[in-house]
Amino acid sequence: MEIGVHHGRLFILLALCVNEGEDALGVDLFDMQDQNVDQSGKGDFGALQRNLERHAGGVNVRFLKSNSLNLGGEFCRAEMGKRFVSIDGGHTRAITANDLWIAQSVLCDGGIVALDDIYRVEWSGVTAGLAQYFARGGALVPIAIAPNKLFLTTSVQWADTYRKELQKSFIVGSPQEFFEFDRVDIIPMNSEHEPGKFGKI
């Protein structure tokens, strides 16, 4: 699932990774741009459809035109069991925290969340929203920070498992001494990886 699909660059990758019996769900405002309070993204459903036809024709996908602030318990119960959730919707504190709670609610055990635009100065609401989510008891556990994305999962045990896999494929930087998270690997921008290994993760 992705919240904030835009033109589908990451969503297409997620869609190509679905297993038999699964689908990829995209949630976006699309043409309801009057609700795009921070003017992030501005998704275009026509452009998304064209990109899907070109790169992922025939893949099982669904789309929900909605403001993620309106996705409540009924939605979360219906969508439980997601293996991967990308969060790249609204970039305010309130929306980011809300989307993290949604991701936590729909994620399967060991599922992964990718939070986009973390620590970007022009989108400080994302960092503030992450802080609010944790301050109010959010249970997701950070795995690693790659350029522009924070990856999280459902438990410390799963986080450790994923870190071991990442360390097989990337030159991983050590956590900073006073880093906010108790344990998170840092994947540098120009991290080298062993050919062929990344595709197995």
Side-chain angles (χ1 to χ4, degrees):
M1 180 174 93
E2 180 164 47
I3 300 175
V5 181
H6 197 236
H7 296 165
R9 182 166 60 178
L10 178 58
F11 182 78
I12 288 169
L13 175 61
L14 300 182
L16 290 170
C17 292
V18 299
N19 293 325
E20 186 175 352
E22 295 179 331
D23 61 22
L25 172 62
V27 179
D28 200 294
L29 293 172
F30 294 119
D31 61 334
M32 300 189 305
Q33 289 301 308
D34 58 308
Q35 298 184 42
N36 187 356
V37 294
D38 59 2
Q39 296 299 296
S40 59
K42 300 183 181 180
D44 182 320
F45 191 63
L48 170 62
Q49 287 183 306
R50 290 189 294 274
N51 289 334
L52 275 167
E53 289 169 5
R54 180 178 179 186
H55 300 289
V59 175
N60 197 12
V61 298
R62 289 183 292 136
F63 295 104
L64 177 61
K65 183 172 72 172
S66 177
N67 187 325
S68 64
L69 293 174
N70 298 328
L71 303 179
E74 184 176 350
F75 169 86
C76 292
R77 286 188 293 273
E79 299 297 338
M80 288 177 65
K82 295 287 183 284
R83 293 189 293 120
F84 194 100
V85 179
S86 168
I87 298 175
D88 193 14
H91 285 42
T92 68
R93 181 199 309 255
I95 296 173
T96 300
N98 173 79
D99 292 353
L100 283 163
W101 283 112
I102 291 171
Q104 178 180 312
S105 298
V106 303
L107 211 61
C108 71
D109 184 39
I112 294 173
V113 174
L115 178 62
D116 196 54
D117 290 327
I118 185 68
Y119 297 138
R120 281 185 59 173
V121 293
E122 64 268 42
W123 296 119
S124 61
V126 175
T127 308
L130 177 68
Q132 178 175 297
Y133 164 78
F134 282 129
R136 295 184 179 177
L140 292 173
V141 178
I143 303 167
I145 291 179
N148 213 36
K149 288 190 187 294
L150 170 67
F151 296 94
L152 309 101
T153 189
T154 55
S155 70
V156 172
Q157 291 76 18
W158 276 111
D160 288 342
T161 296
Y162 289 132
R163 286 192 200 102
K164 289 175 184 176
E165 289 301 314
L166 287 168
Q167 289 164 7
K168 294 176 184 178
S169 301
F170 292 94
I171 299 172
V172 177
S174 300
Q176 298 172 12
E177 185 176 356
F178 297 107
F179 205 72
E180 277 298 310
F181 301 121
D182 292 332
R183 181 73 176 90
V184 63
D185 281 346
I186 301 169
I187 301 174
M189 178 70 76
N190 295 319
S191 180
E192 297 178 8
H193 62 275
E194 186 178 334
K197 271 290 186 69
F198 182 68
K200 297 179 181 179
I201 293 177

